[in-house]
Every structure is written in C-alpha cells, then in structure tokens.
Amino acid sequence: MSYIPYEIITHKRQVCSLYKKACRTVEDWYHYRPLMRINIVRLRKRFDDNKNIIDVPAAQELLKKGQHELWSNQHYYPHQFPSSPGGTAFDRDCFPPDWVLDSWHPLEKAQYPKYFAKREERKKEYIALWEKRWGKPFIPHDEH
C-alpha cells in the first residue's frame, strides 16, 4: 500500500520498529520456543549494547546496518496475522445492513423488546426528519 508520510519518524521509533521486526523474524525462523527465547534474548543484548551511543552519524549507520541485516535474514514465508493486511481474514468483516432486522420473525424480535421498541422510535424520528427535509415521497395513484 503506497502512501505519503506526513510525520517525521524519530530515530528512537525507528530503532524500536527494527527491534520488533527482528523479534518477529526470529519467531519466524525458530518454532521451538526455547530456541526462540534464547535468540530473542541475544537480539535484545545486541540492542542494549548499542543503546548509549551518543554520536548521531554512528547511530544512524548502526540503524542502517541493522535494517540491512534484517532484510538479508528475513524469512522466506513470514507469519502473517489473520486480520492484518495480507492475512486470510483481512477486511472480511461482514456488517449486515439495518433493513435485515426488519425481516426478523416476531418471536425473534420478542427476545429483545427494549432494543426493538427503541429502534421503532428511531425509525419514526428518521422518517419525520426525512419528510421535513425532502418532503413526502411521490406515489402515483394510477399504478394497478
């Protein structure tokens, strides 16, 4: 998805993002939990060793090298969360239209009396507002 960035991403945020992506990459490569944890701890140690670097060009160079290392070690089939873009359930939320509730059987509506009473009030209010703004709908009498 292409977009135009509208904010400056700070160095700290870039490093945090790199760390998170690196952890996800480690999780992709190691499915055995103890090996995964050991490698994530080693990764954290590498980040902690370089967290007190004050020299800006050196810190930016380390960030570049880290991003390149992440890219070169990426998994060939990374895990994707189902609801994330590219996941199997992305954008599959089904929101039925409001008129579907009108087709419910009266016994089904009887299970939620307060909701449907309020809904009927709101439908009448909506119709009144519609007629106030646009007028009553024209219905020809010659249709037989």
Side-chain angles (χ1 to χ4, degrees):
M1 181 191 297
S2 62
Y3 63 95
I4 299 172
Y6 59 90
E7 64 183 59
I8 297 172
I9 300 173
T10 63
H11 179 79
K12 179 181 177 181
R13 195 161 153 203
Q14 287 178 340
V15 171
C16 290
S17 176
L18 176 66
Y19 175 72
K20 186 173 181 178
K21 289 176 186 176
C23 285
R24 293 286 184 209
T25 302
V26 169
E27 289 174 4
D28 288 339
W29 281 109
Y30 298 99
H31 297 289
Y32 182 58
R33 195 98 175 138
L35 282 178
M36 182 191 316
R37 267 320 287 156
I38 288 169
N39 284 292
I40 288 177
V41 168
R42 287 179 184 161
L43 178 68
R44 181 58 190 238
K45 170 96 171 83
R46 288 178 65 188
F47 274 81
D48 285 343
D49 289 344
N50 297 313
K51 73 178 179 183
N52 294 325
I53 295 179
I54 299 172
D55 187 24
V56 175
Q60 288 176 341
E61 185 63 31
L62 274 173
L63 180 64
K64 264 175 125 173
K65 285 181 181 176
Q67 289 170 338
H68 180 73
E69 184 180 341
L70 175 69
W71 183 83
S72 64
N73 291 332
Q74 66 186 343
H75 196 266
Y76 55 89
Y77 191 64
H79 173 76
Q80 287 184 326
F81 293 100
S83 298
S84 298
T88 55
F90 178 68
D91 221 9
R92 284 197 179 185
D93 300 327
C94 178
F95 300 106
D98 186 60
W99 60 263
V100 171
L101 294 175
D102 291 332
S103 66
W104 279 26
H105 190 273
L107 291 175
E108 291 176 311
K109 290 181 181 180
Q111 294 176 357
Y112 308 99
K114 290 180 184 176
Y115 174 78
F116 280 98
K118 188 73 161 177
R119 185 170 183 275
E120 290 302 318
E121 286 177 27
R122 291 200 173 147
K123 280 171 54 177
K124 289 176 185 172
E125 289 173 10
Y126 183 77
I127 291 170
L129 283 170
W130 175 271
E131 289 176 352
K132 181 180 174 186
R133 184 169 184 183
W134 303 104
K136 292 192 180 261
F138 176 71
I139 302 173
H141 296 289
D142 297 337
E143 293 183 10
H144 290 296

